[in-house]
């Protein structure tokens, strides 16, 4: 039946308890919009149902995903009075009359479940204490804090799973609008740009001891502008898109073939299994890359008036106190390095999620390969192609981040007046035989090391994804194209400042990489190359 453009089932009124009634109705997809072909869109999943309930205008505080998951599981948990109202609106397709009928049916089914549990206790059976799914109508914080469990939120024998760092990091990419995280990072970089303008270090130069006048302004540093305003926001966009595809579309297709019923719980367990990795990355990013690096590179030189590091906007107060004072520089650099530490932690968390997606795909594929009666090659090819394209895009952006970091560090030790003139001069030296100003000063360059870590981490994820996702001859051609671009980009990174004309190789790799962001396939893939009847562009 059709009601408000959705698939409607009338209440069965067959005396079922809540668990039996909910299981049948959710499996039928009651309340879901009809597909483009006019047929039901499929069964409800915990995520889809939780999202639908949270989008009801009158439901201002939403619903905890864990609560909805309890309805799907084989346990003795029922449903609270408040949630009966929202579930009735879903099953009733937002029709007042149908919603009223479903509300009565769900209330009676919950009463029958309560009576069954009471009879079980009287008979001496070991059943969990009577309680609804969760005290949804108690207070708003209990609705919106899935990490804090209530006594009645889970079975007595099942401990409440609290959200750790891994799941909270995953939630940064999967919760809320896909625009939130990229916009937050871009906004932070924009705020730093305004601060640099207010303090006067947005565009500033100084006379080096060898007579070179160098531009060291904040807005001239690609490792603070291009990285945080362009490359990292794009990286987060692609990770969010790929994660959403895997959780809500790709994984469900494959798990359905493998007869899996706990897709999202299994994904959560995969994420939580990397908890120690997230904590290690958190420690490195905040303690070493953030606090220790700020103290060593900025704070101590500002306090003592010197150092073994090249002059940049963060230490400009040492040679240009007329532009910015030392206290202002300390405060500004502290804010900037804190922002950098947060952004790079999220970046590495994204890489861990990409690795987890590829690893999860490999496990499901191996399970399916042990069942020859299930023909799922088409689904595996389709999902695998989508995943490898997304991982390639993220890999390209990660290496571009490292190129900006190393390029700025190399420029500061060179004889170029600004980074653009330095690159143009190097290109001219190779083409026209001009003086390349290759002389450098032996400053310490910690950014070379940190950028190398970014490249290695990013390439490891791509290599694992290429091996795990691209098995068989059907992936050979597209993977060779992607791998060639990645190798060329890494070569350009490694050879920055190594010889005259390095900028030509670097520019070629960057151009191909930027094209690969729009067309990871580098042309249309023939069906014979991917083993499906689809043309993937």
């Amino acid at each position: 039946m059709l009601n408000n453009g959705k698939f409607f089932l009338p209440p069965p009124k067959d005396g079922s308890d809540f668990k039996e009634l909910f299981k049948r109705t959710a499996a039928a997809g009651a309340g879901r919009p009809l597909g483009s072909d006019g047929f039901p869109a499929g069964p409800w999943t915990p995520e889809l149902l939780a999202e639908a309930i949270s989008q009801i205008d009158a439901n201002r505080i939403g619903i905890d995903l864990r609560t909805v998951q309890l309805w799907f599981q084989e346990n003795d948990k029922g449903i609270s009075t408040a949630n009966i109202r929202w579930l009735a609106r879903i099953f009733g397709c937002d029709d007042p009359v149908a919603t009223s009928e479903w509300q009565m049916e769900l209330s009676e089914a919950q009463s029958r479940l309560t009576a069954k549990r009471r009879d079980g206790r009287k008979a001496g059976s070991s059943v969990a204490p009577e309680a609804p799914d969760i005290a949804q109508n108690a207070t708003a914080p209990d609705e919106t804090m899935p990490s804090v469990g209530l006594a009645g939120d889970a079975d007595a024998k099942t401990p409440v799973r609290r959200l750790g760092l891994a799941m909270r990091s995953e939630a940064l990419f999967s919760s809320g609008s896909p625009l939130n995280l990229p916009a937050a990072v871009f906004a932070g970089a924009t705020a730093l740009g305004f601060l640099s303008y207010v303090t006067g270090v947005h565009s500033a130069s100084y006379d080096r001891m060898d007579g070179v006048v160098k531009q060291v302004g904040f807005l001239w540093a690609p490792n603070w502008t291009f990285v945080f305003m362009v490359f990292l926001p794009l990286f987060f966009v692609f990770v969010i898109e790929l994660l959403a595809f895997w959780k809500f579309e790709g994984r469900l297709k494959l798990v359905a073939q493998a007869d899996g019923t706990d897709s999202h719980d299994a994904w959560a367990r995969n994420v939580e299994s990397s908890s120690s990795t997230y904590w290690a990355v958190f420690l490195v990013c905040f303690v070493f890359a953030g606090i220790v690096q700020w103290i060593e590179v900025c704070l101590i030189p500002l306090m003592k008036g010197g150092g073994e590091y090249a002059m940049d906007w963060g230490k400009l107060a040492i040679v240009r106190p007329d532009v910015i004072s030392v206290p202002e520089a300390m405060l500004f650099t502290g804010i900037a390095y804190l922002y950098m530490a947060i952004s790079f932690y999220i970046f590495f968390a994204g890489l861990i999620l990409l690795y987890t997606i590829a690893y999860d795909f490999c496990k499901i594929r191996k399970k399916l390969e042990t069942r020859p009666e299930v023909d799922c090659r088409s689904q595996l090819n389709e999902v695998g192609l989508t995943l490898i394209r997304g991982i390639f895009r993220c890999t390209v952006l990660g290496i571009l981040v490292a190129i900006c970091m190393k390029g700025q560090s190399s420029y500061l030790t060179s004889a170029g007046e600004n980074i653009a003139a330095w690159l143009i001069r190097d290109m001219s030296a190779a083409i026209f035989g001009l003086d390349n100003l290759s002389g450098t000063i032996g400053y310490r360059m910690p950014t070379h090391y940190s950028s190398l870590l970014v490249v290695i981490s990013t390439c490891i994820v791509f290599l694992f994804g290429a091996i795990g996702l691209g098995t068989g001859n059907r992936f050979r051609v597209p993977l060779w194209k992607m791998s060639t671009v990645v190798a060329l980009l890494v070569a350009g990174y490694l050879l920055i400042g190594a010889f005259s004309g390095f900028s030509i190789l670097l520019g070629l790799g960057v151009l191909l990489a930027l094209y690969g962001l729009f067309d990871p396939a580098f042309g249309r893939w023939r069906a014979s190359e991917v083993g499906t009847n689809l043309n993937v562009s």
Side-chain angles (χ1 to χ4, degrees), residues 222-224 226-228 231-232 235 344 347-348 351 394-410 419 422 446-459 486 489-496 506 510:
N223 60 326
W224 289 96
F226 281 105
V227 166
F228 296 104
F231 297 141
L232 281 186
F235 176 87
F344 271 99
F347 168 77
F348 282 107
L351 290 180
C394 295
T395 301
V396 164
L397 290 168
I399 301 175
L400 289 176
V401 167
I403 287 175
C404 289
M405 295 169 65
K406 185 177 181 181
Q408 174 67 9
S409 180
S410 299
I419 191 167
W422 174 58
T447 309
H448 278 27
Y449 176 71
S450 55
S451 64
L452 182 61
L453 292 180
V454 171
V455 169
I456 293 175
S457 303
T458 306
C459 289
V486 170
L489 206 56
V490 172
Y493 160 81
L494 294 174
L495 297 176
I496 290 178
L506 180 63
V510 170

Side-chain angles (χ1 to χ4, degrees), residues 41 97 138 178 205 214 253 328 370:
V97 176
S205 59
K214 293 192 71 67
K253 288 181 180 179
E328 287 178 329
T370 61

Side-chain angles (χ1 to χ4, degrees), residues 67 70 77-78 129-135 149-156 160:
T67 298
L70 289 172
K77 306 306 299 176
E130 177 181 339
D133 51 346
I134 188 171
L150 299 180
D153 189 75
D155 189 271
V160 177

